[in-house]
Every structure is written in C-alpha cells, then in structure tokens.
Amino acid sequence: MRDARKKFMRAAIRLARKGMNKNSGGPFGCVIVKDGKVIARAHNAVTDLNDPTAHAEVVAIRKACKKLKTFQLTGCEIYASCEPCPMCFGAIYWARPDKVFFAATREDAAQAGFDDDFIYHEIDLTHAARKIPFEAMQSKEAVTVFDEWKIKPDKSVY
C-alpha cells in the first residue's frame, strides 16, 4: 500500500512539473484514487484557462465527480503535490474524500511565491476590514430562499 501511495504522489508531482513547464499555471498537481485506481488527475490550469479557481485539486475534484457521477468523493484518496490552499481545502471538505496526502507544505509554496497565509488572516477580519471589503445586503430577501429550501420535499441533501 505504501509503495502504491508513493507512486500516486510521484504522479501528482509529475503533473505539477508538466503544468508548470507548459505554462498552464503554478507548479501544482493532483491525483484522485479510488479502490487503488487513478480516477482523475490534473495540474494547475489558472493561467491556461484564465480561471483563478482552476487549481489542480479543484480541477481533479471536478473530473472525479463527473466520472463517478456524484458530488462526493467518499472512498477516494487525494494526492496533492502541495498542501492545499484555503480554496482547495474548502473544496476538499465539500467533496468528502476519505484522506488527503500532500508533499510540499504551504511554507514551501510561500518560499516559491505562493503565499496564501494572508487569506487565512482575512477570514477572521470583519467584513469591512478585509482587503476586499464585503458588505451584506438584501438579507431578508435571500433568507426567504433558505426558508423555501428547508421545506422543499424533493431536495438533494449534501
């Protein structure tokens, strides 16, 4: 099992290098495995797709969910070439895989110019104090949609 895990991580690292060398985005790769088989793989494609959410983990999660025809990755393992950023961390939790393995740390990424630490700090700030100010509006109107969701009999709970 350990040898297989090393093989999957090496594949994620190779994807990171491949994407970087193609100038698709930063040096990040991801492989998603279920029952010992790779079901999805991706490298960072932010600059290639002009999509700030096209991180390797997010792209791989989208591919895996499409392949499995589900919105959750129960029974899967994620192999990321680097510790996931806050966005990918959130996406991973929503996808609910069984386990995540990563190679480089977020400190290693910061040394290479990918410092997401400021995002962790921004989350704890008040809406107005953030670098990108957040302002709530039309709360009552939006809450009525949540009220409708609560009583919707045919909803897909996730």
Side-chain angles (χ1 to χ4, degrees):
M1 183 65 147
R2 190 152 177 83
D3 286 342
R5 287 181 173 160
K6 286 182 178 182
K7 179 181 85 169
F8 298 138
M9 186 57 77
R10 281 190 198 103
I13 294 167
R14 276 194 307 274
L15 285 163
R17 183 173 286 114
K18 177 182 176 183
M20 176 190 68
N21 287 337
K22 286 176 39 179
N23 289 322
S24 292
F28 303 96
C30 182
V31 171
I32 300 179
V33 175
K34 184 171 180 131
D35 299 325
K37 294 186 174 124
V38 174
I39 58 164
R41 63 185 79 228
H43 56 69
N44 182 296
V46 168
T47 57
D48 197 29
L49 298 176
N50 293 317
D51 179 354
T53 69
H55 289 200
E57 297 92 334
V58 172
V59 174
I61 287 169
R62 290 173 181 160
K63 288 179 178 181
C65 288
K66 185 174 183 178
K67 181 172 185 168
L68 296 175
K69 296 179 173 64
T70 182
F71 51 81
Q72 293 190 335
L73 297 178
T74 307
C76 295
E77 296 177 337
I78 293 179
Y79 293 82
S81 66
C82 185
E83 184 176 357
C85 75
M87 178 184 68
C88 295
F89 182 88
I92 287 166
Y93 268 81
W94 284 118
R96 294 179 175 84
D98 289 359
K99 192 163 186 175
V100 176
F101 298 91
F102 64 90
T105 66
R106 68 190 211 195
E107 292 81 14
D108 296 323
Q111 290 290 322
F114 298 95
D115 193 355
D116 300 323
D117 196 48
F118 78 96
I119 296 172
Y120 290 103
H121 295 293
E122 288 282 306
I123 292 169
D124 290 332
L125 296 175
T126 65
H127 295 150
R130 293 178 178 160
K131 286 188 168 107
I132 300 174
F134 282 54
E135 182 178 334
M137 58 183 284
Q138 293 178 255
S139 171
K140 279 187 179 181
E141 190 177 335
V143 170
T144 62
V145 181
F146 284 126
D147 292 338
E148 292 168 22
W149 169 261
K150 288 185 229 175
I151 61 171
K152 184 175 174 17
D154 61 341
K155 64 186 169 200
S156 295
V157 180
Y158 58 96

